[in-house]
Amino acid sequence: MAEFLKQYLAPEWLAYAVAALVHAALLINVVAVGALIFIWLERKVSGRIQDRLGPTRVGGKFGWLQTLADGLKLITKEDLMPDGADRMLFLLAPYISFCASYAAYLALPFADGWVATRLNVAVFFIIAVVGLEVFGVILAGYASASKWSLFGAMREAAQVVSYEVPLGMCVVVPVMITGTMDLVAISQMQAGWFTQWLVFHDPFTFVIFWVYFTCATASVNRAPFDLAEAESELVAGFHTEYSGLRWSIFFMAEYGSMFAVSGLAAILFFGGWNGPLPVTAWLGAAGEAIGLDSASTLYPLFHYLGNFLGMLNFVGKCVFGVTFMMWARWTLPRLRIDQVMTTCLKYCTPIAAVMFLGAVLWTYFIPGGLFIPNNYWRVNEGQITATPQPAEKPAEATPAAPAHAADDGRPSDDKPPRTASVDSSASFAEAAAGGHRGSP
Amino acid sequence: MEALNFNWNSVFFYLFAAIACGFSIAVVLTSNIVRMAFYLILALGATAGLFFLAGADFVGAMQLMIYVGGTLVLLIFGVMLTAKGPFISMKTSAGEWLMGAVVGGSLLAVLLAAATSVKAWQTTPDQPAQAQVTATRLGMALMGARVDSLEQTNAEQRRGMSGYLLPFEIVSVHLLVVLIGSAYLARPKKRAGRRVVGE
């Protein structure tokens, strides 16, 4: 986009600034409007689950303007602060939560090429940034000078630190199968019918998706893991002392994170922007059928249409994920803190570890998936250099590798690109484990 | 237009560098332990920003995950230490200031001397610095493939050049042992014949 603007704006930095502003504004809108819609949806979903109607009055039949009315109410409320509060941290805490939640969107692709920054370590970046949201919560709990807030914050801290371990292990599995941490590439590799989706790659990925979703729900502090704001015990938990707009920013951050982790799930396990049917490929074929080639002026239109459908697909999957979290919230009772820890340490972590091992063995002995032939990706996606069986290589080939490299005298540049991706995924596994192993 | 002909990359570099340095100083000057941790997070986050600016996405994300994430634990300890009274401040004596100044100052001197001694960084803006050394060799060696063994002419020595994977794993296992040991030491002590409540 900056390249496009450079043609029209004289100083180069102005073009970059405008491009950056457009990207940032678009993403802010995704978070803010998303929160607006999800809060309405949450009320409707909870209403239906509890056999009520939910909001019905504001804005016509379905009460779809309810959140806007709530927002106006919150803006007009007084911005209160407790007398003994640590003023600076109290004021800053909501924005820290929001920034962390928002930063995840910088690397989240919405369609092929529709991403603010294409990072080659996007998976790692998103996991790292989503984990930072807890800072805002802890600072809010501490700065409020209220025991309810502090209790909520400490619970949240314990929970998030524990759940990052299985979460990291779950995320490693798709990375290992695809051999890349680039979310765009991971999505591209799942193009085609829904049988290409990684969740149907083998039985282990199917199980690990559910573990991922459980851990993601816990790490964004949603029920049944919402101990930090347990109304029945802690008044309102970490945001007891907050009011007005500052309070609503916490909620924007929460819904933003829910959308972000659902988006990550959609890309890692459910094909990203690829719909269940290869509509985009058909569109391209249709474009070729009526005599368009890549040089034609109408070709970008078809490309754009395909991308737009892809974005709708992706957003649809994310909304489904968020709705699923709401469904869980209004169905399951809140867990106790010891049950939360048991779920993490005695169930999620071992299951994730076993499934990880299983997926490694599967890709080693049965390369390819349940529905994917052995070297499907290598044949069909020439531009994607990663192959489906990278991660077990280092463990198997370690003793042989130095001798091999020395024997045939290849310079280091001759190494296949697969090695580079193995390197990153392996260090990611180490980092995911080592970040917590090292910290205490 | 000449006045506006600056490099936007440098602008962000100075911005992030100023944030990192400013909040590092704030860490030293503040006496409230939670604010200290908060400033540390900002300083480390700005350092991650510098890495992203340099195109080192992986190191940047690593910085966020390990250093900024690790500060989380520091923050929790800070909250737990000071939660007894409202916002306890830590008083530092003149001797501690002196010790800190000596240690910090000597480290700064070493780092400055090391940074100014790198030939590739002593270039003027006309000749942009070229990165000659990358971490690829180190990464390959960590995976078990020592590419520098290709340059080793002595066959006897070449046979001894193994990868770094085994030492790395030994260090990891060592850390795990330490972790288990600390968990063992911190376990709730049992009284004779009776289990402690809450165990």
Side-chain angles (χ1 to χ4, degrees):
Chain A
M1 183 165 190
E3 278 67 35
F4 170 74
L5 283 169
K6 251 189 267 178
Q7 302 165 4
Y8 301 102
L9 294 169
E12 195 177 311
W13 62 268
L14 192 62
Y16 276 111
V18 171
L21 276 181
V22 169
H23 281 156
L26 277 177
L27 289 177
I28 287 239
N29 268 315
V30 171
V31 183
V33 176
L36 217 63
I37 292 168
F38 288 141
I39 290 172
W40 170 79
L41 191 66
E42 175 111 56
R43 295 183 146 205
K44 287 307 260 192
V45 168
S46 67
R48 294 295 174 174
I49 287 176
Q50 296 171 349
D51 210 5
R52 306 181 276 118
L53 287 176
T56 52
R57 283 158 199 262
V58 190
K61 201 178 170 193
F62 298 109
W64 56 276
L65 277 179
Q66 181 66 44
T67 325
L68 211 61
D70 284 347
L72 281 177
K73 182 197 78 176
L74 286 170
I75 290 173
T76 53
K77 266 188 165 181
E78 190 185 352
D79 188 14
L80 291 169
M81 185 167 61
D83 228 9
D86 186 332
R87 188 180 165 76
M88 183 193 79
L89 294 181
F90 186 85
L91 296 182
L92 276 178
Y95 301 110
I96 293 169
S97 270
F98 181 75
C99 285
S101 155
Y102 170 67
Y105 285 81
L106 294 179
L108 196 69
F110 285 81
D112 198 354
W114 288 13
V115 52
T117 344
R118 183 174 172 176
L119 296 176
N120 57 0
V121 288
V123 178
F124 189 30
F125 177 80
I126 289 183
I127 291 289
V129 158
V130 164
L132 297 184
E133 198 199 335
V134 66
F135 275 122
V137 171
I138 295 177
L139 288 177
Y142 170 78
S144 295
S146 150
K147 61 185 173 209
W148 306 123
S149 305
L150 196 63
F151 271 134
M154 295 318 284
R155 283 181 176 189
E156 165 105 359
Q159 181 181 326
V160 168
V161 168
S162 317
Y163 271 93
E164 264 184 16
V165 176
L167 190 69
M169 278 163 123
C170 296
V171 166
V172 163
V173 171
V175 168
M176 177 200 72
I177 293 171
T178 56
T180 174
M181 284 205 269
D182 186 347
L183 286 175
V184 178
I186 291 179
S187 289
Q188 281 170 350
M189 290 168 82
Q190 301 176 60
W193 291 78
F194 64 90
T195 47
Q196 307 292 334
W197 292 355
L198 282 175
V199 70
F200 302 125
H201 182 270
D202 56 62
F204 303 107
T205 49
F206 187 79
V207 174
I208 213 150
F209 163 71
W210 296 102
V211 181
Y212 168 83
F213 208 76
T214 311
C215 298
T217 311
S219 72
V220 299
N221 192 25
R222 281 289 296 188
F225 303 103
D226 60 342
L227 290 150
E229 42 194 301
E231 297 89 353
S232 49
E233 313 148 37
L234 296 182
V235 188
F238 67 92
H239 55 68
T240 305
E241 306 293 343
Y242 281 85
S243 68
L245 204 59
R246 234 172 264 287
W247 175 82
S248 65
I249 286 173
F250 273 124
F251 273 79
M252 227 146 85
E254 181 179 325
Y255 283 95
S257 299
M258 281 164 69
F259 191 86
V261 294
S262 300
L264 196 60
I267 291 173
L268 289 180
F269 295 100
F270 284 98
W273 56 79
N274 298 299
L277 307 176
V279 176
T280 324
W282 293 342
L283 265 180
E288 276 169 20
I290 58 171
L292 295 172
D293 55 0
S294 52
S296 148
T297 45
L298 270 178
Y299 186 80
L301 185 71
F302 271 88
H303 185 70
Y304 184 85
L305 194 63
N307 257 354
F308 188 75
L309 286 178
M311 191 199 69
L312 290 187
N313 255 323
F314 178 74
V315 172
K317 284 171 190 173
C318 295
V319 171
F320 183 78
V322 173
T323 315
F324 194 86
M325 285 186 189
M326 290 173 185
W327 181 18
R329 170 172 177 179
W330 296 102
T331 307
L332 300 172
R334 181 180 297 125
L335 298 178
R336 260 185 354 241
I337 185 74
D338 62 321
Q339 290 168 333
V340 168
M341 290 299 157
T342 308
T343 312
C344 172
L345 297 173
K346 288 192 182 164
Y347 294 98
C348 285
T349 310
I351 293 175
V354 170
M355 291 302 138
F356 172 68
L357 213 61
V360 168
L361 292 176
W362 179 282
T363 46
Y364 186 62
F365 291 111
I366 321 172
L370 280 179
F371 307 102
I372 310 174
N374 181 1
N375 49 4
Y376 169 81
W377 283 322
R378 233 175 310 175
V379 175
N380 287 24
E381 305 280 335
Q383 75 276 19
I384 298 169
T385 48
T387 56
Q389 43 161 355
E392 72 281 9
K393 270 290 179 199
E396 297 295 325
T398 305
H404 185 61
D407 282 347
D408 57 17
R410 286 185 304 183
S412 62
D413 298 339
D414 273 359
K415 283 275 170 189
R418 187 173 55 177
T419 317
S421 57
V422 170
D423 186 14
S424 48
S425 66
S427 6
F428 174 60
E430 283 303 328
H436 296 289
R437 202 194 294 159
S439 38
Chain B
M1 197 53 67
E2 195 57 41
L4 289 173
N5 193 14
F6 52 76
N7 187 353
W8 62 274
N9 225 329
S10 320
V11 176
F12 278 102
F13 175 82
Y14 286 119
L15 181 70
F16 282 127
I19 294 173
C21 296
F23 282 111
S24 305
I25 294 169
V27 171
V28 178
L29 293 183
T30 187
S31 59
N32 181 324
I33 192 166
V34 174
R35 281 196 180 192
M36 222 181 273
F38 174 65
Y39 294 142
L40 191 61
I41 290 162
L42 292 182
L44 291 171
T47 316
L50 283 176
F51 284 131
F52 284 120
L53 199 62
D57 298 333
F58 185 72
V59 187
M62 196 72 111
Q63 170 90 5
L64 280 182
M65 187 117 188
I66 293 186
Y67 286 92
V68 183
T71 318
L72 176 68
V73 180
L74 190 70
L75 185 65
I76 295 167
F77 278 127
V79 170
M80 287 199 297
L81 284 177
T82 59
K84 281 179 188 163
F87 313 120
I88 295 173
S89 294
M90 306 222 309
K91 297 278 182 290
T92 37
S93 66
E96 285 167 333
W97 269 101
L98 194 68
M99 280 293 290
V102 168
V103 173
S106 46
L107 183 64
L108 182 68
V110 169
L111 285 179
L112 277 180
T116 48
S117 69
V118 177
K119 278 278 185 306
W121 296 349
Q122 296 168 345
T123 48
T124 55
D126 304 338
Q127 326 156 281
Q130 294 287 321
Q132 298 293 335
V133 185
T134 64
T136 311
R137 292 177 146 220
L138 197 62
M140 300 279 290
L142 210 54
M143 304 303 299
R146 286 281 292 270
V147 285
D148 53 343
S149 67
L150 298 175
E151 296 152 11
Q152 177 63 257
T153 46
N154 189 340
E156 285 296 310
Q157 284 189 17
R158 201 189 300 148
R159 206 162 358 122
M161 295 173 78
S162 55
Y164 302 148
L165 194 61
L166 185 67
F168 185 75
E169 281 303 315
I170 290 173
V171 172
S172 312
V173 172
H174 188 89
L175 277 175
L176 186 67
V177 169
V178 171
L179 204 65
I180 292 172
S182 62
Y184 175 75
L185 290 177
R187 78 198 187 282
K189 304 283 186 294
K190 282 179 189 163
R191 282 196 214 123
R194 196 148 56 96
R195 289 171 75 92
V196 175
V197 180
E199 192 189 346

